[in-house]
Amino acid sequence: MLGIVIDDSRAMRKILRGLLADLGFEVLEAGNGREALDLLQSTGRVPDLALVDWNMPVMTGLEFVIDVRKIAEMRQMTLMMVTTESEHGQIVRALAAGAHEYVIKPFTRDGIIDKLALLGLVPVGVSS
Amino acid sequence: MTNDVSTAVEVDLDMIAEQVWSAFLNGGEEETLFADTDSGAGVELAASVAMVGAYEGHLVVSCSHKASRDVASVLFAMEPDEVTPDDVGDALGELANVLGGNVKSVLPSPSQLSLPRVSATAHERWPGTVEVCRTVVRWRDEPYVVTLLSGGPGGSHNAQEA
C-alpha cells in the first residue's frame, strides 16, 4: 500500500508518516497540495491513501481534493482530510469535493486507524 | 463581546488546551497537565494564528525557549538539545494551529484560519485587539500561556514587529 501525507508542518508529516509506516504503508510526503500533485504526476504513482491537511500555503487541501478528483488516473485514491478545520460547513465542503473521511486535529493514533479500517485500508481491530 | 460570551469561551479554552496537550503532546499519558494562575512571565516565543470572518481575532500560545524545545522534541521524537530553530518554529506553529482550529470551532462561524506565525514575544504586537480570555498550561514544569484575542483589522494576520 502506498500513502502520501500532505501537510505544511514537518512535525505533523513525521507523526503521520510514522503511523502509516507502522501499518505497513510506503509513505510519500508533500508540503502542500501543489507539491503533492507535482510529485504524483512526475512519478506516475497513485497512492492508495492521501492524508490531507486543509490550511497550507500555495495550494490548500480542499483545492488539492478538487483538482485530484478531476484526474481520471487518481480516482481510486482514498482521500482523508486531517485538519484543525472543524466547522460543519467546511466538513461538508470537503466531503462534497470528494474527500472520503474527515479527521479533526488533535487526533489519536487509534482514531486514525479506526477510520482507515472503516475505509478498508487496514484490518478491523488493528488499533486495539 | 459580552461578559457571558467571554466566560463561555474561557471555559472552552481550558478544556480545549487540555484536550490538545493530551492528544498532541502526552499521547494520553505521562506528564501531569494542569492550568494554574501563573502569569506566564518569562515567555520568549509566541506562535499565533489569525481568525478572519464571523470572528476576528487571534489565538496565541507563548512560552520559553526551553518549553518550545520540549514541544519540538516530542513532536519530532528527538532529544531537546537536538532540535533546530526550524524544528521549534514548525512545532510551536502547529501547536498554535491545532489550538486555534479547535477554539475557532466554538466561536461564531464561518471564519478562516491563517497559517501560523512564530516570533519572539518582544517583537509581537496585535494592535486593536483585546484579550478575551487566557489559560496557562503547565507541562514539564514550564508554563504555556494560551490567549484568545478579539478584534484587530480584518483580512490579514496583523501581528507586527515593534
Side-chain angles (χ1 to χ4, degrees):
Chain A
M1 300 277 265
L2 178 64
I4 182 167
V5 177
I6 309 169
D7 197 306
D8 57 326
S9 166
R10 288 184 297 107
M12 189 55 63
R13 292 204 303 270
K14 181 166 184 175
I15 291 167
L16 291 171
R17 167 188 274 278
L19 192 159
L20 291 184
D22 288 347
L23 295 170
F25 281 80
E26 179 188 352
V27 187
L28 305 174
E29 291 184 26
N32 61 65
R34 180 75 263 159
E35 191 178 311
L37 282 175
D38 290 347
L39 176 65
L40 299 181
Q41 288 174 336
S42 66
T43 61
R45 305 188 73 184
V46 180
D48 301 286
L49 170 69
L51 302 182
V52 188
D53 186 21
W54 187 304
N55 291 314
M56 296 180 285
V58 184
M59 178 185 276
T60 69
L62 180 63
E63 291 167 339
F64 171 80
V65 169
I66 291 169
D67 277 17
V68 85
R69 280 289 170 250
K70 295 175 184 170
I71 303 171
E73 296 79 13
M74 296 189 187
R75 287 201 181 126
Q76 297 305 310
M77 185 178 2
T78 297
L79 302 174
M80 179 186 288
M81 301 298 294
V82 183
T83 173
T84 62
E85 293 288 357
S86 54
E87 290 178 10
H88 177 72
Q90 288 168 306
I91 296 172
V92 170
R93 282 175 68 198
L95 296 176
H100 296 86
E101 261 296 355
Y102 203 100
V103 174
I104 297 169
K105 300 175 184 174
F107 53 79
T108 63
R109 178 184 175 85
D110 285 355
I112 294 267
I113 294 173
D114 288 346
K115 296 271 190 181
L116 294 177
L118 287 172
L119 293 166
L121 291 168
V122 299
V124 174
V126 168
S127 62
S128 56
Chain B
M1 186 170 285
T2 67
N3 287 337
D4 286 346
V5 172
S6 296
T7 301
V9 169
E10 187 167 11
V11 171
D12 285 334
L13 193 56
D14 288 344
M15 181 188 68
I16 287 167
E18 185 166 0
Q19 287 176 343
V20 168
W21 253 265
S22 177
F24 199 45
L25 291 169
N26 286 347
E29 49 191 41
E30 61 165 318
E31 298 85 0
T32 302
L33 166 69
F34 58 93
D36 60 23
T37 55
D38 191 307
S39 67
V43 296
E44 297 156 310
L45 288 175
S48 64
V49 288
M51 288 167 265
V52 179
Y55 184 87
E56 302 269 344
H58 304 263
L59 187 288
V60 184
V61 57
S62 48
C63 63
S64 68
H65 287 295
K66 177 188 179 303
S68 67
R69 285 195 300 274
D70 285 347
V71 170
S73 75
V74 169
L75 296 186
F76 283 100
M78 299 165 67
E79 293 299 319
D81 58 1
E82 293 175 340
V83 299
T84 67
D86 278 352
D87 295 336
V88 167
D90 184 285
L92 204 58
E94 185 62 9
L95 178 60
N97 180 46
V98 175
L99 285 164
N102 282 267
V103 168
K104 186 167 79 74
S105 71
V106 299
L107 295 172
S109 64
S111 296
Q112 302 294 316
L113 203 64
S114 76
L115 296 174
R117 172 190 173 112
V118 182
S119 65
T121 53
H123 297 293
E124 279 290 9
R125 298 289 184 273
W126 292 272
T129 63
V130 295
E131 183 177 310
V132 176
C133 60
R134 74 161 57 193
T135 190
V136 180
V137 176
R138 184 165 289 278
W139 181 66
R140 295 188 173 184
D141 294 327
E142 289 286 333
Y144 297 77
V145 182
V146 182
T147 308
L148 177 62
L149 303 174
S150 175
S156 65
H157 192 302
N158 54 20
Q160 296 178 345
E161 291 196 353

